[in-house]
């Protein structure tokens, strides 16, 4: 096996079945990174506790997300795929990092202000300490790289500062500063044609949806609002259906839609049917793999347990060094 270029860590909250936005924005990149890096992919279930009202679906959501990751091509024989809470050392590192983090730094983060705005009745410490736990996730595994969209850059910078503060305070070099691996994350717009694709907005197209369900969702997509009748020329460049064609359709089809839409040569119904067909063709192998894995759910839990064991080995080593550096051991 070719030598890997370093260690990558990425985590995602357990949101259950994944949708096209998750796939194009993250999962596709996760799969590609495996070829060149040693990857750790983590279902960050503890992070989810900051905002969930009930944990009733947490386990099922963890399962569904891991299942989608595996079906999309994450390779458990190479990558470490695991659940955050199954490696509890992360909580301990979170506590130590909190001792070197000025409070003002946390309250000033735009993401904290945004969360307070979104959850005014539930401003708990977890929301404030979220970036510290996120830093602990990365630093526990001494990750060299974290794949992020540019909007997440402040969190990685926060983790880097935490490393500098910790290493300076305890006169050590035990923690490693992670680098951002900025990937162009496309903003995938939902079927409403306006907002980012999201389950909470009910504007998503699930990867695991049946071909019929997918077609139904695509047919509901909002198009160019100025195109009221079939005979009206359309504006593909402002239409989300066309944006999706650019991802799922052939170059010839994209060019044809762009050309014919503007002269009313193609109607929105046919345009969407073509898109649905292409999305379904793209997702067909994924769905087959998903169904196969889903026949034996224990297999998914075994993979997650194996991942936690491998992650624990790294975590135990890091924590032994951290305690030693602090003077606790
Ligand atoms: Fe959008 Fe296609 Fe209709 Fe043009 S023909 S407005 S690209 S759905």
């Amino acid at each position: 096996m070719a030598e890997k270029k370093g260690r990558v860590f990425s985590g995602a909250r357990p949101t259950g079945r994944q949708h096209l936005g998750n796939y194009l924005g993250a999962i596709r990149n996760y799969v590609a990174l495996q070829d060149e890096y040693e990857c750790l992919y983590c279902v960050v279930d503890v992070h989810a506790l900051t905002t969930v009202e009930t944990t009733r679906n947490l386990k099922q959501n963890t399962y569904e997300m891991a299942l989608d990751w595996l079906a999309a091509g994450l390779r458990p024989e190479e990558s470490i795929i695991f659940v955050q809470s199954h490696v509890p050392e992360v909580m301990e590192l979170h506590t130590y990092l909190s001792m070197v983090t000025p409070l003002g730094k946390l309250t000033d983060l735009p993401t904290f202000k945004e969360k307070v705005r979104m959850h005014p009745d539930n401003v708990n410490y977890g929301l404030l300490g979220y970036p510290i736990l996120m830093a602990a996730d990365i630093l526990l595994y001494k990750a060299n790289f974290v794949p992020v969209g540019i909007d997440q850059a402040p969190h990685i910078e926060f983790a880097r500062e935490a490393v500098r503060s910790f290493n300076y305070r305890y006169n050590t070099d035990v923690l490693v500063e992670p680098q951002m691996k900025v990937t162009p994350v496309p903003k995938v717009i939902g079927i409403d044609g306006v907002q980012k694709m999201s389950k909470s907005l009910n504007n998503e197209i699930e990867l695991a949806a049946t071909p019929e369900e997918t077609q139904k969702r695509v047919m509901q997509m909002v198009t160019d609002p100025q195109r009221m009748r079939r005979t009206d020329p359309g504006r593909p460049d402002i239409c989300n259906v066309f944006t999706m064609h650019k991802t799922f359709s052939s170059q010839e089809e994209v060019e044809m839609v762009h050309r014919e839409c503007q002269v009313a040569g193609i109607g929105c119904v046919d345009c969407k049917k073509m898109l649905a067909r292409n999305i379904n063709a793209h997702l067909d192998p994924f769905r087959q793999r998903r169904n196969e894995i889903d026949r034996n759910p224990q297999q998914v839990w075994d993979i997650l347990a194996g991942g936690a064991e491998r992650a624990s080995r790294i975590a135990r080593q890091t924590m032994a060094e951290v305690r030693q550096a602090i003077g606790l051991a």
Side-chain angles (χ1 to χ4, degrees):
M1 196 191 298
E3 191 155 331
K4 302 278 181 171
K5 291 183 184 168
R7 190 175 283 166
V8 160
F9 176 93
S10 187
R13 290 158 67 110
T15 48
R17 286 176 164 219
Q18 301 292 280
H19 53 65
L20 284 181
N22 304 128
Y23 175 67
L24 300 174
I27 301 171
R28 195 168 56 161
N29 191 34
Y30 282 6
V31 174
L33 285 168
Q34 296 178 115
D35 295 333
E36 293 185 89
Y37 298 89
E38 179 195 354
C39 298
L40 288 98
Y41 295 125
C42 181
V43 181
V44 291
D45 55 348
V46 180
H47 281 291
L49 301 182
T50 53
T51 50
V52 293
E53 280 157 21
T54 165
T55 52
R56 208 173 38 236
N57 298 326
L58 203 53
K59 201 168 171 197
Q60 184 63 21
N61 285 346
T62 296
Y63 173 81
E64 298 279 357
M65 191 159 96
L67 176 58
D68 279 350
W69 282 0
L70 294 168
L74 293 200
R75 302 189 289 270
E77 61 283 4
E78 291 172 39
S79 299
I80 300 179
I81 305 162
F82 69 110
V83 178
Q84 184 186 27
S85 65
H86 296 178
V87 187
E89 281 86 350
V90 74
M91 323 295 180
E92 185 184 352
L93 184 57
H94 160 267
T95 303
Y96 300 149
L97 293 177
S98 74
M99 309 301 176
V100 296
T101 306
L103 187 59
K105 198 168 269 212
L106 294 168
T107 51
D108 282 352
L109 277 175
T111 41
F112 174 65
K113 291 177 183 161
E114 172 68 7
K115 287 203 170 127
V116 170
R117 197 183 60 73
M118 284 166 66
H119 308 278
D121 302 328
N122 185 23
V123 184
N124 53 54
Y125 162 73
L127 282 181
L128 186 68
Y130 201 102
I132 304 181
L133 186 57
M134 210 184 230
D137 283 322
I138 302 164
L139 306 182
L140 184 60
Y141 304 106
K142 298 194 178 185
N144 307 104
F145 302 101
V146 183
V148 288
I150 198 68
D151 56 327
Q152 290 166 293
H155 281 293
I156 307 307
E157 194 44 46
F158 182 94
R160 289 164 59 83
E161 283 177 26
V163 171
R164 292 196 286 271
S165 301
F166 181 93
N167 285 354
Y168 180 76
R169 165 89 65 98
Y170 299 112
N171 193 23
T172 181
D173 58 3
V174 59
L175 295 183
V176 176
E177 273 191 54
Q179 309 288 320
M180 277 186 284
K181 190 156 184 49
V182 178
T183 41
V185 178
K187 188 176 175 190
V188 182
I189 302 298
I191 64 168
D192 56 9
V194 182
Q195 309 217 59
K196 195 173 163 184
M197 191 175 282
S198 158
K199 236 175 195 182
S200 57
L201 297 170
N202 190 27
N203 66 359
E204 81 280 21
I205 298 174
E206 281 184 353
L207 301 178
T210 63
E212 296 73 30
E213 287 164 347
T214 302
Q215 163 137 350
K216 198 169 161 204
R217 291 298 263 175
V218 171
M219 297 315 283
Q220 291 167 345
M221 285 178 75
V222 172
T223 63
D224 174 4
Q226 279 186 24
R227 196 170 187 203
M228 311 290 276
R229 292 174 298 265
R230 169 69 181 79
T231 49
D232 291 339
R235 297 172 299 169
D237 293 317
I238 61 123
C239 177
N240 191 29
V241 176
F242 180 65
T243 305
M244 289 255 194
H245 269 298
K246 286 194 269 186
T247 300
F248 293 103
S249 302
S250 68
Q251 189 59 29
E252 296 82 65
E253 286 170 323
V254 170
E255 285 168 14
M256 184 277 285
V257 168
H258 195 256
R259 187 180 61 241
E260 295 300 318
C261 170
Q262 294 178 82
V263 294
I266 183 171
C268 293
V269 170
D270 287 337
C271 184
K272 288 176 176 179
K273 280 185 182 163
M274 187 195 303
L275 176 62
R277 253 193 329 270
N278 293 341
I279 292 176
N280 280 329
H282 191 92
L283 291 181
D284 200 38
F286 163 87
R287 290 173 183 145
Q288 283 181 21
R289 276 197 300 275
R290 193 183 200 279
N291 288 339
E292 274 165 33
I293 303 169
D294 198 25
R295 269 185 224 127
N296 179 8
Q298 189 54 43
Q299 189 188 338
V300 175
W301 293 116
D302 289 346
I303 287 169
L304 293 173
E309 182 44 44
R310 287 162 68 198
S312 286
R313 264 179 247 143
I314 305 172
R316 282 196 294 268
Q317 175 65 34
T318 304
M319 289 316 296
E321 294 168 13
V322 162
R323 290 184 210 112
Q324 182 97 40
I326 296 173
L328 294 169

